[in-house]
Amino acid sequence: MRSSGDALKNNRIVKIGAIDVSLFQDILKIESFIQATACGVIIGTLTRYYLLRRDYRQYPSYPHGVLANMALGFIASVIGAVAVPALAEKEYTAVTVLALAATQFREVRNLERTMLLNLDSMQLVRRGPEYIEGIARVFEARNYLVMLTALLVGGVTYWGSILYSIPVALITIFISCQLMKGKEIGQIAKVREGKVYFKGPNLFVEDIHFMNLGTEQVKNAYLERALGVVIEPLDDNGRTTLANLGQRMAIAHDAAALLGIYRDADTAEFTPVVRRNLDTGRVALVIVPIEKDIEFLLEAVKRVPVLESALRMPLLNPIGRKASD
Amino acid sequence: MQLEKVILAVITVERDKIATGGAPVFYATDKEEQEKIAIYLARITEGVVHDLENGVYILVKH
């Protein structure tokens, strides 16, 4: 009787112990879950902010545009951060949210494209649809980058420790920045000054003809204020890329945005123009800037991004390679 | 197809160079007047003046 009572007592203690242990384990698990998610979300959102600062030049509306993108970045990082702990808990349905998110972020691209296209019609020097498409694509892609960063940070924190999260975040941001860094005009072409002159009514920069301009007043303004830049492609890839009209609009837009433009709605003749020499594949820009400073104009042109949609690589193909000699 | 470039006006000092056409023709007595009319019309219509080098200016909307 006594012995069976002891056994019962012991049993109860053991049971209580088991409950305690499993409860403790549960609390630990929840804690690591929260820790992983929080780390992922915080670092993901910070990544979005960092990436947002990098494309400030392309950014049209400052405080509200930033807030809208930060909010989307936050959502992306929540989805990314939750994914790993959810998988570990065998909550597979939670992961399907990732797929849903992808469609949501495709909307971001549409949103940015529509907005920038609407704004573009009001600019003195337009960005052009190709440049806008590139910017919209970057906005979409950066949300995926944020999601990936949050996912990796969340995973590492969940299985490893919170200490690993910061180095992993830094490495991910570094790698993604390196991967996402597009080329610039300065890397595919030599950019130098070109002389602006008139032959009769025809405007030239070196041997490249731009346009026919009628009145003396306009011609004098050009001779006094205009700057010419010649862009010589380094190889056939560069030549084909520079031939793209969207790429050329981007060059004119960025140069005008950085140096100012001497024109108004009723002086269409001062629109910066980029034209191509058919024989050599060289292109030239003529611009009437507010700040007549060739050094910075060359720098501005060199830093114009090579648009993804304009980039062509004929030399990667054997036919293009053979045709180039 | 949509036409994007249109000749808005013709400004000339050479009467015999111009026959009838779709665009209004402005006759100027001398080069100076031709310049002045061309600039005025360009500002009003937001077009660009081009010189055909035969005494005829055309004003084109780009």
Side-chain angles (χ1 to χ4, degrees):
Chain A
M1 191 68 188
R2 195 176 160 198
S3 64
S4 69
D6 277 351
L8 201 70
K9 217 178 191 179
N10 284 340
N11 201 10
R12 196 173 292 156
I13 289 165
V14 168
K15 258 189 187 164
I16 289 167
I19 289 167
D20 274 351
V21 168
S22 72
L23 233 171
F24 187 62
Q25 276 175 341
D26 276 354
I27 290 169
L28 262 185
K29 208 180 264 179
I30 290 169
E31 200 169 281
S32 67
F33 190 101
I34 291 172
Q35 217 169 44
T37 316
C39 270
V41 170
I42 291 168
I43 288 174
T45 314
L46 287 177
T47 309
R48 185 70 193 103
Y49 182 63
Y50 174 67
L51 291 171
L52 206 58
R53 283 165 42 135
R54 285 171 59 88
D55 58 15
Y56 142 80
R57 179 176 54 164
Q58 305 173 331
Y59 211 75
S61 57
Y62 217 61
H64 293 93
V66 166
L67 189 67
N69 277 294
M70 288 296 294
L72 277 167
F74 175 76
I75 293 167
S77 46
V78 168
I79 293 163
V82 165
V84 171
L87 259 183
E89 292 298 310
K90 300 194 172 64
E91 294 283 347
Y92 298 112
T93 42
V95 183
T96 54
V97 175
L98 277 177
L100 192 74
T103 49
Q104 287 300 318
F105 291 122
R106 206 168 305 138
E107 275 304 303
V108 173
R109 189 203 283 204
N110 287 334
L111 206 85
E112 288 293 334
R113 184 199 295 126
T114 324
M115 182 187 72
L116 288 171
L117 275 176
N118 285 340
L119 293 177
D120 209 32
S121 60
M122 290 293 125
Q123 300 219 41
L124 287 176
V125 183
R126 295 187 181 189
R127 278 197 175 93
E130 294 230 9
Y131 201 178
I132 287 173
E133 192 57 46
I135 295 171
R137 200 176 294 167
V138 166
F139 271 100
E140 184 191 359
R142 284 188 176 165
N143 277 310
Y144 297 135
L145 275 183
V146 165
M147 220 194 274
L148 183 75
T149 312
L151 192 128
L152 289 177
V153 169
V156 165
T157 316
Y158 188 75
W159 279 311
S161 140
I162 193 163
L163 292 175
Y164 297 138
S165 62
I166 291 171
V168 165
L170 289 179
I171 293 167
T172 325
I173 293 170
F174 178 75
I175 292 175
S176 51
C177 284
Q178 288 300 312
L179 285 178
M180 302 306 277
K181 203 194 271 171
K183 278 190 175 175
E184 291 172 352
I185 292 292
Q187 291 170 286
I188 64 160
K190 200 179 140 204
V191 181
R192 60 177 171 80
E193 186 179 5
K195 190 173 176 279
V196 181
Y197 64 95
F198 278 94
K199 214 187 265 178
N202 293 303
L203 175 65
F204 284 84
V205 171
E206 295 198 345
D207 57 345
I208 300 170
H209 176 249
F210 277 80
M211 54 188 151
N212 175 306
L213 286 172
T215 55
E216 289 301 320
Q217 191 184 333
V218 172
K219 278 198 230 171
N220 289 337
Y222 260 95
L223 289 173
E224 209 175 290
R225 294 170 164 272
L227 290 174
V229 174
V230 178
I231 306 165
E232 287 179 46
L234 297 178
D235 57 13
D236 282 19
N237 289 344
R239 190 177 64 193
T240 324
T241 305
L242 286 171
N244 184 292
L245 290 173
Q247 180 65 60
R248 290 194 245 163
M249 274 183 102
I251 293 172
H253 173 268
D254 274 11
L258 292 174
L259 275 96
I261 183 76
Y262 180 77
R263 79 157 281 204
D264 198 2
D266 62 350
T267 49
E269 57 269 24
F270 294 126
T271 311
V273 182
V274 184
R275 288 273 186 267
R276 181 178 192 224
N277 182 322
L278 297 180
D279 297 322
T280 58
R282 276 185 209 156
V283 299
L285 160 76
V286 71
I287 181 169
V288 190
I290 299 277
E291 311 283 349
K292 191 180 177 184
D293 198 328
I294 186 69
E295 195 188 321
F296 296 117
L297 177 61
L298 293 179
E299 203 52 42
V301 171
K302 277 182 199 165
R303 294 213 184 147
V304 174
V306 172
L307 304 182
E308 262 180 50
S309 47
L311 190 64
R312 294 284 178 280
M313 300 271 189
L315 291 179
L316 283 183
N317 185 285
I319 299 170
R321 233 177 356 252
K322 279 176 195 157
S324 73
D325 350 298
Chain B
M1 198 185 82
Q2 202 185 347
L3 284 179
E4 284 179 356
K5 312 209 177 216
V6 186
I7 300 182
L8 300 172
V10 178
I11 309 110
T12 181
V13 285
E14 304 278 343
R15 279 184 171 260
D16 52 337
K17 290 273 167 64
I18 307 295
T20 54
V25 181
F26 295 81
Y27 294 109
T29 48
D30 54 19
K31 187 94 178 142
E32 199 181 320
E33 193 190 353
Q34 186 188 24
E35 285 268 329
K36 206 166 83 179
I37 297 174
I39 295 274
Y40 285 165
L41 289 177
R43 297 293 167 269
I44 293 162
T45 59
E46 299 178 11
V48 178
V49 181
H50 299 286
D51 182 0
L52 301 185
E53 294 187 79
N54 59 351
V56 180
Y57 282 0
I58 55 169
L59 186 64
V60 179
K61 182 84 178 173
H62 287 277

